Amino acid sequence: MNKEIVKISIVMFIAFFTCTISAQRKKRIANKDTQEWRYDIECEGIAKQGSKLVKVWSYSKNPKFAIGQAMKNAVHGIIFKGYAGGGNGCTPFKPLARNVTAEKEHEAFFKSFFSDGGEFRKYVTAAADGNIAPGDRLKVSKREYKIGVVVNVATDQLRKRLESEGIVKALNAGF
């Protein structure tokens, strides 16, 4: 009886260990996709003051990780890309970091900032309770998806954080 319990325990441990390694590997692949910063960002509508409501189209091999990666992409887009205006009362938004070399100059900060569970999470929330609309899940190739996720980015708070790090100039700093 004891030998059977030991065998069952060993089998369960190996199965758990294998599943954990597989999940971590898939997360690393999703993070690698994000590090290439392949995404599109567009205004989704009017948000509360100090925030922007955006839809981020992220490219990924696994749609399961799209929401987490979309949040990173949204904050990255607000900092470095901005977006054009459009419908829904949207006006163009210029990126917070106007210096095109800011990401390289502050590489250590942004590596930590955009890490899993990093500080970027303080400035972004999923707008649709984590649900992805059926029309926002597109298969673009045999192994890749384009997933649209609507998120809310607290741009005023994000700007203040970047100002405190010296990455962007304060609005009252003059020209």
Side-chain angles (χ1 to χ4, degrees):
M1 179 91 172
N2 259 347
K3 288 183 181 183
E4 287 183 33
I5 292 174
V6 170
K7 286 180 185 178
I8 291 172
S9 297
I10 290 172
V11 169
M12 288 177 57
F13 175 76
I14 291 172
F16 174 76
F17 186 72
T18 304
C19 290
T20 302
I21 289 174
S22 176
Q24 289 174 352
R25 184 179 149 275
K26 288 178 182 177
K27 185 123 178 123
R28 278 196 311 271
I29 290 170
N31 282 335
K32 183 180 173 222
D33 289 345
T34 300
Q35 287 173 356
E36 296 172 6
W37 299 117
R38 284 185 55 221
Y39 63 89
D40 301 314
I41 185 170
E42 60 189 44
C43 179
E44 185 66 14
I46 306 277
K48 63 183 178 181
Q49 189 169 352
S51 298
K52 300 293 179 197
L53 187 65
V54 296
K55 180 181 278 190
V56 180
W57 294 91
S58 301
Y59 297 86
S60 180
K61 292 179 176 97
N62 188 340
K64 184 170 87 174
F65 297 114
I67 293 171
Q69 302 307 320
M71 290 185 171
K72 284 184 187 181
N73 290 339
V75 174
H76 187 271
I78 292 295
I79 296 172
F80 298 108
K81 274 190 175 183
Y83 54 80
N88 302 331
C90 296
T91 57
F93 180 78
K94 292 184 179 178
L96 295 176
R98 304 285 172 90
N99 181 357
V100 293
T101 61
E103 191 169 12
K104 288 285 184 207
E105 290 174 7
H106 303 278
E107 187 173 354
F109 170 79
F110 285 116
K111 185 173 184 173
S112 170
F113 187 80
F114 286 113
S115 66
D116 286 339
E119 192 178 343
F120 78 94
R121 290 186 130 338
K122 293 180 184 177
Y123 308 101
V124 64
T125 55
D129 298 329
N131 296 325
I132 299 172
D136 291 342
R137 182 185 304 246
L138 309 171
K139 191 163 186 172
V140 294
S141 71
K142 194 172 187 178
R143 297 183 185 168
E144 188 171 53
Y145 291 89
K146 181 178 177 181
I147 308 294
V149 179
V150 179
V151 297
N152 190 29
V153 181
T155 51
D156 286 358
Q157 292 175 4
L158 181 58
R159 171 178 273 290
K160 287 178 185 173
R161 177 67 174 112
L162 296 174
E163 286 173 1
S164 72
E165 289 293 324
I167 297 169
V168 299
K169 292 181 182 177
L171 291 174
N172 61 0
F175 299 94

